[in-house]
Amino acid sequence: MENCFHCGDVCNETNIVFHNKNFCCHGCKTVYEILKDNDLTYYYDLEHSPGTTPSRFDSKFDFLKEPHIASKLLEFDERGIQIINLVIPSIHCSSCIWVLEHLSKIHNGVLNSQVNFPEKTVRIQFKAKELSLFALVELLTRLGYEPYISLADEKKTPKRTDRSLIYKIGVAGFAFGNIMFLSFPEYFEVNEFWLDRFKFLFRWLMFAFSLPVVFYSGWSYFSSAIKGLRSKHINIDVPIALGISVLFIRSTIEIALDLGTGFFDSLSGLIFFLLLGKFFQQKTYAYLSFERDYKSYFPIAVTKLIQSSTQFNTQNNNKKELREQQTEIKDLIQGDRILIRNGELIPVDAILISGNAFIDYSFVTGEAQPVSRASGDKVYAGGRQQGEHIELEVIKTVEQSYLTQLWSGDVFNKGNQTNFQTLTNKISKHFTIVILSIAMISVMFWWWFDASKALNVFTAVLIVACPCAIALAAPFTLGNMLRFFGKAKLYLKNAETIEKMAQLDTLVFDKTGTLTSSLESKISYCGVDLSIEEQDLLTNTLRSSNHPLSRTLYQWLQKHEIYTLDDFNEEIGKGIVGKKNGQHIYAGSYQYVNNNHQSSVYSPEKNTTQVHIATANTYKGYYNFINTYRSGLQETFKALEKFKIIVLSGDNSSEQESLSKLLPKHTQYYFDQKPEDKLSFIKALQDEGKNVMMIGDGLNDAGALAQSNVGIAISENTNVFTPACDGILDAKQFTLLPDFLRLSKRANHIISYAFLLSLFYNIIGLGFAISGNLKPVVAAILMPISSISIVVFTTLFTYWVTRKLSQNNQNNNK
Amino acid sequence: MSIIYLLLTISVIVAIIFFAAFIFSVKKGQYDDTYTPSVRMLFEDEIKSEKSTKQQLTNNN
């Protein structure tokens, strides 16, 4: 079997040999030809078979022809030069970068193009006169780089990334280095003539450098501490802010009164390390978004049908027939007629006027199989039409449609878990109280013993107690964990999610797309065996049909002789018939197949999907489509037995029996759950005091994902749309779920151990402080040592506990 | 020894120049995408030259 030179797929029956190279389809060959003609075959030298099979360029992007819609997507449009930033999910290797950055060799209209690989975007600058946006998108699609354009792209404001943390680290690092350098001479403490002369200059320079560190870089600690105190929480920033202010004030007084050098180096070092910890904790996945709403799922425009009589546009008034016009979906109003083609999404609630609707709602409602609708029926927004094109009459605008209404709910507008307390904050409460009492006791002691030292000791205690090491323990542990999880393809939104995962006791699963795999379905045949000729005829008939069930069944049957049919007919939404050498074969719904002959032997089972087969005069049997559950489901759930497990499905209860065989006995099942039911179900669990994780995939789970303590979206392909959530899990890694949950618990243990270690440093420091011996040089040594050892400790420990995860991950990828 | 004033001034100015360069580069978005440039720099500038070097390599072998 040959592999395609372009995309690397196995070339099945259609092996096209061109230029001594094999291609799996004409699409791949065309891309090769384009690249060859433009001298761009270096594409294939960079990486082995780097391409993607181009999808058919149909009317999907017609809306780009409308200047007013196109202009909303453009970033820049002046003097004939336009710039657009397009998301291209299929960017995956260096060849992709290369070819997309050499677009100007294919078309002269392209002036410049630049790929941002982590974000999977390409920024293209082109001459509007020579190349329209529509033509540009067409060119990209033909090369296999189809851009993803959705409603969310509209009114694009250039994305503003928050870089303040980097600036803060820059300022702190810059000042830290300079202050270290200036404070060194005095640490050697030679009572030398020149040093005595210059030390004032050095000290005031250090003071000057520390000002931006305290008042710019460290400011967030003050504001966060004040915020915490106002809401009567002692968070970790309270002792930090206390430490910073004591360090700064005491140092300033020391140099002003010529008492000593001050602690400016420790001060700036402390803030620098703390900010580094914060930075490390942020692991961002540029091309994933955890905040998506329906807007990134919906298209930007649909085809609207305008009748000449009701036409607002007076220019074409003389036309009598229906005219197609691309309209933005937000402009649709009640009563508008729209046209939905095969594979297009229904953007609004509407009534079916004409055509056979066969709508795939699996992503929206969780129903596993597409449903058919007859004219006059109501269809809901979010479904994907399969088969022929249909005409709809809008009954609700986008914002008012059933599905989009969900997003106006409270869950999506506020962070509903603001009261979550991290482990660090829990500990810091006790820590702060203990430190303050130690400081008080030592002050009282020294007051009585040697009053001149009392204030000195008090401030020294607060300085050494500044919980730098504690504050670094969590960021580095969780930051490391986030990276390990990311390698195993669980992409979490932030570090806090790991701490939340450690507290879970209830797991709620969606069925369709989560427990079942949407990529494969199991097919079984029931009825009279088909002869070889009949099988051949059936596969060839199926081959001619574009219906999803036909495609699936064809894939499953395969391995048959390919020939041209004498006759083929498809009644959309009903069935197909093929003819060869006088033989007929019918495939389709029970009614369709049975209309042709009377024998009705099989009464169709409910709740499953079937394709019925008959020849010209006899009914043969049917193919049953059953959802397949993910492999390893049973073992995975066995490992999760400690948790309360609930299955919450939008589908009907037909699968309960087969599910209960796979899942633990105590599992609870709830079927026919609407999206809002799911949300309120999670809420009810939380009111009982449960910590709930929701694992789902579709828009119907969006509310539940947002409401739950941890919402994980499962995705077969992380490039495509996932609803708003706390984390995205690659579907292949589903079996690692118990590992992830176990490791989050371990992360909490590691943080606790790190706390103990840092307490040890604090006790040493307190020894110096209480005895009144804390010199700047001691603080300057102790502080970095404790911080660095905590970083090393947590890094090694997390690496050690995640060994097994990396192993399992490798096994999964084999 | 008053040369130290001059030395200090110069060292601080140099440090500030580098610091300003860092801030400027962050602001310009040079750190936004740290991956793509690392791949891009390995591409051959001219496709023709890439071909000829490749041929040379195969000839040498």
Side-chain angles (χ1 to χ4, degrees):
Chain A
M1 198 60 89
E2 295 294 338
N3 284 60
C4 177
F5 182 68
H6 177 70
C7 71
D9 282 354
V10 177
C11 302
N12 281 335
E13 66 277 354
T14 45
N15 187 1
I16 303 160
V17 182
F18 182 74
H19 279 229
N20 283 333
K21 292 171 179 86
N22 296 292
F23 293 95
C24 69
C25 59
H26 280 282
C28 288
K29 194 196 103 184
T30 316
V31 180
Y32 172 77
E33 276 180 292
I34 298 173
L35 296 178
K36 180 93 188 158
D37 290 348
N38 291 288
D39 252 349
L40 292 173
T41 45
Y42 181 45
Y43 181 66
Y44 298 101
D45 298 335
L46 271 171
E47 303 257 345
H48 189 64
S49 46
T52 351
T53 313
S55 50
R56 272 239 307 273
F57 189 79
D58 44 25
S59 47
K60 200 167 156 189
F61 290 109
D62 275 355
F63 60 86
L64 292 173
K65 286 178 186 162
E66 297 287 322
H68 70 280
I69 300 178
S71 68
K72 285 190 176 160
L73 297 165
L74 293 169
E75 248 178 37
F76 176 89
D77 183 11
E78 256 172 60
R79 279 167 288 160
I81 305 285
Q82 297 184 328
I83 296 177
I84 190 163
N85 205 12
L86 291 166
V87 180
I88 300 182
S90 54
I91 293 178
H92 66 282
C93 67
S94 52
S95 283
C96 302
I97 301 174
W98 187 80
V99 78
L100 287 172
E101 295 198 341
H102 285 81
L103 278 180
S104 52
K105 299 225 185 248
I106 303 177
H107 199 291
N108 290 331
V110 178
L111 292 171
N112 176 26
S113 48
Q114 196 171 22
V115 175
N116 183 331
F117 189 81
E119 286 182 10
K120 300 196 187 228
T121 57
V122 59
R123 204 156 174 275
I124 303 172
Q125 192 180 356
F126 57 100
K127 286 184 220 154
K129 263 189 191 160
E130 290 176 36
L131 184 69
S132 70
L133 182 57
F134 177 77
L136 176 68
V137 169
E138 186 186 4
L139 173 68
L140 287 170
T141 310
R142 270 173 44 214
L143 290 174
Y145 294 102
E146 185 184 316
Y148 184 75
I149 300 173
S150 70
L151 192 56
D153 291 322
E154 196 194 36
K155 276 184 210 148
K156 205 167 214 174
T157 43
K159 210 168 48 177
R160 294 192 67 86
T161 38
D162 185 22
R163 302 197 185 104
S164 62
L165 186 58
I166 299 176
Y167 294 139
K168 282 176 181 172
I169 292 175
V171 170
F174 161 76
F176 176 50
N178 282 289
I179 292 173
M180 279 280 262
F181 162 71
L182 290 166
S183 60
F184 249 59
E186 283 208 69
Y187 284 159
F188 296 111
E189 244 189 308
V190 247
N191 265 336
E192 201 226 354
F193 170 72
W194 290 110
L195 188 67
D196 271 350
R197 240 186 99 175
F198 286 112
K199 70 180 179 193
F200 300 104
L201 173 71
F202 285 4
R203 286 174 182 179
W204 284 108
L205 264 175
M206 287 197 276
F207 171 76
F209 277 122
S210 74
L211 284 176
V213 180
V214 174
F215 293 102
Y216 174 65
S217 304
W219 194 248
S220 53
Y221 292 100
F222 292 106
S223 51
S224 154
I226 291 166
K227 219 187 202 167
L229 286 176
R230 274 212 188 120
S231 57
K232 295 196 176 116
H233 280 298
I234 299 182
N235 53 27
I236 188 73
D237 293 336
V238 174
I240 291 175
L242 203 64
I244 293 173
S245 35
V246 169
L247 271 168
F248 183 69
I249 294 166
R250 178 170 163 175
S251 307
T252 312
I253 292 172
E254 272 192 10
I255 62 163
L257 304 178
D258 192 18
L259 298 171
T261 41
F263 298 85
F264 290 115
D265 53 343
S266 302
L267 169 67
S268 51
L270 168 85
I271 295 177
F272 180 59
F273 283 123
L274 286 174
L275 290 173
L276 275 187
K278 251 190 194 174
F279 182 70
F280 188 75
Q281 191 176 244
Q282 292 181 333
K283 166 77 188 159
T284 50
Y285 304 99
Y287 63 97
L288 294 175
S289 171
F290 298 101
E291 313 292 346
R292 282 172 172 148
D293 65 5
Y294 68 94
K295 280 190 179 152
S296 27
Y297 181 59
F298 276 26
I300 198 162
V302 286
T303 315
K304 185 168 140 184
L305 299 170
I306 301 175
Q307 254 162 336
S308 50
S309 53
T310 58
Q311 197 171 301
F312 303 110
N313 194 340
T314 46
Q315 288 166 351
N316 299 324
N317 231 350
N318 48 355
K319 275 191 185 174
K320 278 167 199 161
E321 287 183 332
L322 285 172
R323 200 168 60 88
E324 289 183 12
Q325 195 196 335
Q326 295 295 320
T327 312
E328 284 176 73
I329 65 167
K330 69 171 168 54
D331 291 339
L332 290 177
I333 49 162
Q334 197 182 341
D336 279 352
R337 289 284 182 93
I338 53 172
L339 187 76
I340 303 291
R341 297 190 180 84
N342 179 21
E344 282 186 347
L345 197 89
I346 298 164
V348 287
D349 293 354
I351 287 176
L352 185 63
I353 301 294
S354 68
N356 289 298
F358 194 66
I359 305 165
D360 175 12
Y361 276 119
S362 59
F363 197 67
V364 181
T365 61
E367 287 165 82
Q369 299 297 340
V371 289
S372 56
R373 290 273 180 273
S375 62
D377 284 351
K378 199 173 166 185
V379 291
Y380 291 103
R384 217 172 259 287
Q385 162 65 4
Q386 312 201 309
E388 62 175 3
H389 62 260
I390 50 172
E391 221 181 293
L392 302 170
E393 188 178 307
V394 179
I395 51 173
K396 274 179 182 160
T397 61
V398 190
E399 278 82 15
Q400 288 169 341
S401 286
Y402 169 66
L403 184 76
T404 40
Q405 279 276 293
L406 253 183
W407 262 275
S408 53
D410 288 343
V411 234
F412 293 98
N413 297 329
K414 58 169 176 116
N416 60 327
Q417 267 123 30
T418 40
N419 52 1
F420 175 75
Q421 270 221 321
T422 60
L423 197 56
T424 315
N425 283 339
K426 265 186 218 160
I427 287 177
S428 73
K429 194 166 125 193
H430 305 288
F431 183 83
T432 313
I433 293 166
V434 170
I435 288 304
L436 283 177
S437 16
I438 292 176
M440 285 301 169
I441 291 166
S442 44
V443 162
M444 280 193 273
F445 171 77
W446 282 100
W447 195 266
W448 171 74
F449 197 75
D450 179 0
S452 67
K453 274 192 169 177
L455 197 65
N456 187 355
V457 168
F458 179 71
T459 51
V461 169
L462 291 180
I463 287 171
V464 292
C466 188
C468 180
I470 291 186
L472 286 178
F476 277 92
T477 312
L478 299 177
N480 276 320
M481 276 298 180
L482 271 185
R483 284 167 176 77
F484 282 118
F485 282 12
K487 259 184 218 158
K489 292 178 185 143
L490 170 63
Y491 309 101
L492 293 178
K493 186 162 117 188
N494 53 30
E496 209 181 83
T497 312
I498 298 183
E499 288 198 56
K500 285 182 189 164
M501 275 169 71
Q503 295 175 358
L504 297 170
D505 48 29
T506 309
L507 306 179
V508 180
F509 292 88
D510 171 49
K511 186 182 74 81
T512 316
T514 306
L515 298 180
T516 63
S517 165
S518 57
L519 288 186
E520 43 189 310
S521 46
K522 206 188 269 170
I523 301 167
S524 62
Y525 180 69
C526 229
V528 188
D529 284 341
L530 299 171
S531 69
I532 303 284
E533 294 88 57
E534 282 164 349
Q535 283 187 21
D536 276 352
L537 182 56
L538 178 63
T539 44
N540 282 293
T541 310
L542 290 169
R543 190 167 163 261
S544 316
S545 164
N546 262 328
H547 193 279
L549 287 179
S550 310
R551 305 304 310 166
T552 324
L553 193 56
Y554 175 69
Q555 291 286 327
W556 187 72
L557 290 165
Q558 269 192 10
K559 296 183 291 268
H560 280 279
E561 202 189 323
I562 308 283
Y563 52 71
T564 326
L565 295 167
D566 292 344
D567 190 22
F568 171 79
N569 190 28
E570 179 160 10
E571 270 188 65
I572 305 237
K574 287 177 183 152
I576 49 176
V577 56
K579 187 186 166 198
K580 177 84 182 176
N581 301 337
Q583 263 197 321
H584 281 83
I585 198 132
Y586 294 86
S589 73
Y590 188 67
Q591 289 80 2
Y592 173 76
V593 167
N594 256 325
N595 269 352
N596 300 294
H597 31 72
Q598 265 58 50
S599 64
S600 53
V601 197
Y602 298 96
S603 57
E605 284 173 51
K606 268 188 181 166
N607 297 333
T608 48
T609 307
Q610 289 134 352
V611 171
H612 297 262
I613 309 293
T615 56
N617 37 33
T618 41
Y619 179 84
K620 289 285 186 184
Y622 59 87
Y623 286 93
N624 216 341
F625 287 70
I626 311 159
N627 290 312
T628 44
Y629 292 98
R630 295 192 186 285
S631 53
L633 199 68
Q634 207 162 357
E635 294 77 32
T636 309
F637 274 91
K638 205 162 187 187
L640 292 173
E641 256 178 343
K642 271 179 271 168
F643 295 93
K644 183 179 173 154
I645 291 169
I646 295 166
V647 172
L648 203 60
S649 175
D651 207 355
N652 55 47
S653 59
S654 62
E655 290 282 316
Q656 180 162 1
E657 208 178 315
S658 43
L659 260 177
S660 54
K661 280 178 202 151
L662 293 168
L663 269 48
K665 273 184 194 143
H666 64 266
T667 312
Q668 295 171 15
Y669 302 90
Y670 298 90
F671 292 98
D672 295 314
Q673 298 283 313
K674 292 200 184 76
E676 58 269 27
D677 297 338
K678 290 192 174 186
L679 199 161
S680 48
F681 185 86
I682 303 274
K683 210 171 194 162
L685 278 175
Q686 284 173 329
D687 291 341
E688 285 172 33
K690 298 264 190 268
N691 282 311
V692 188
M693 179 192 239
M694 173 77 205
I695 299 139
D697 74 315
L699 282 179
N700 59 324
D701 304 315
L705 288 170
Q707 175 65 39
S708 61
N709 300 59
V710 180
I712 301 285
I714 284 216
S715 174
E716 301 281 356
N717 176 0
T718 40
N719 292 331
V720 301
F721 175 83
T722 44
C725 56
D726 296 309
I728 298 170
L729 175 65
D730 189 302
K732 284 194 277 309
Q733 308 290 70
F734 184 76
T735 48
L736 293 183
L737 196 64
D739 285 329
F740 289 128
L741 291 168
R742 187 177 52 84
L743 283 174
S744 350
K745 287 218 167 91
R746 292 305 291 272
N748 266 9
H749 294 161
I750 295 173
I751 296 174
S752 312
Y753 298 143
F755 283 162
L756 288 180
L757 185 66
S758 63
L759 273 183
F760 167 73
Y761 286 113
N762 276 325
I763 288 165
I764 297 179
L766 280 174
F768 281 103
I770 294 173
S771 57
N773 287 325
L774 185 75
K775 299 219 171 65
V777 68
V778 175
I781 292 169
L782 201 61
M783 209 269 313
I785 285 185
S786 64
S787 305
I788 290 166
S789 62
I790 287 292
V791 171
V792 172
F793 171 79
T794 52
T795 308
L796 290 180
F797 212 154
T798 41
Y799 187 74
W800 189 65
V801 297
T802 48
R803 279 164 315 151
K804 207 184 145 201
L805 180 72
S806 335
Q807 260 172 31
N808 287 354
N809 184 26
Q810 275 168 10
N811 291 345
N812 263 14
N813 288 339
K814 262 175 203 168
Chain B
M1 203 57 183
S2 46
I3 189 77
I4 206 148
Y5 290 110
L6 182 69
L7 288 174
L8 258 181
T9 324
I10 294 173
S11 79
V12 169
I13 287 174
V14 169
I16 287 176
I17 289 173
F18 277 100
F19 177 66
F22 171 72
I23 297 293
F24 175 79
S25 61
V26 174
K27 206 161 233 158
K28 282 278 162 186
Q30 291 186 14
Y31 290 88
D32 288 1
D33 177 10
T34 48
Y35 179 80
T36 325
S38 72
V39 178
R40 194 181 291 135
M41 67 173 281
L42 298 173
F43 295 151
E44 296 292 328
D45 291 339
E46 273 307 310
I47 305 142
K48 296 281 183 210
S49 65
E50 149 67 21
K51 261 186 187 164
S52 52
T53 45
K54 230 188 161 183
Q55 270 162 8
Q56 273 168 16
L57 279 176
T58 43
N59 289 345
N60 290 347
N61 289 342

